[in-house]
Amino acid sequence: MKKIHLILYFYKSFALVSVIISGFLCYLINLWERNGSIISILIFFKIITLAVIYYFINDSQKDEFIFYKNLGLSSKKLWFSTISFDFIIYLIMIVLT
């Protein structure tokens, strides 16, 4: 349970930006009438934005990863969990729109 709280605490550092991007992409999917090729392009765009977020967070918050490592979370586990969680939220938003 402690690790889940730590992961969510880390996710809060970029959650707002990520949810805004996901919402905008879902809006575009609805705007273009759920065309299959558009959905795949926008999913690819979401992956690219997650990579950009990864780069900026890794670059700007290097010292913060020591905090998580001392509490038992490696940066790989932290990133894998938060990116997976964010992408699942994005897929749920696509299904619900």
Side-chain angles (χ1 to χ4, degrees), residues 27-91:
Y27 170 74
L28 291 178
I29 288 172
N30 281 333
L31 189 66
W32 290 322
E33 300 174 359
R34 291 190 166 270
N35 186 342
S37 62
I38 295 299
I39 291 175
S40 61
I41 290 170
L42 293 178
I43 287 175
F44 180 72
F45 184 75
K46 176 65 178 177
I47 292 169
I48 296 298
T49 58
L50 285 173
V52 170
I53 288 172
Y54 170 82
Y55 172 76
F56 281 115
I57 296 292
N58 251 359
D59 193 46
S60 66
Q61 298 180 357
K62 289 180 184 177
D63 296 334
E64 192 171 319
F65 290 109
I66 296 170
F67 166 74
Y68 293 107
K69 185 146 181 96
N70 288 338
L71 292 172
L73 272 176
S74 70
S75 61
K76 288 181 185 180
K77 286 182 185 178
L78 196 60
W79 276 114
F80 180 77
S81 348
T82 53
I83 288 177
S84 299
F85 180 70
D86 184 63
F87 199 72
I88 289 169
I89 289 174
Y90 176 59
L91 293 177

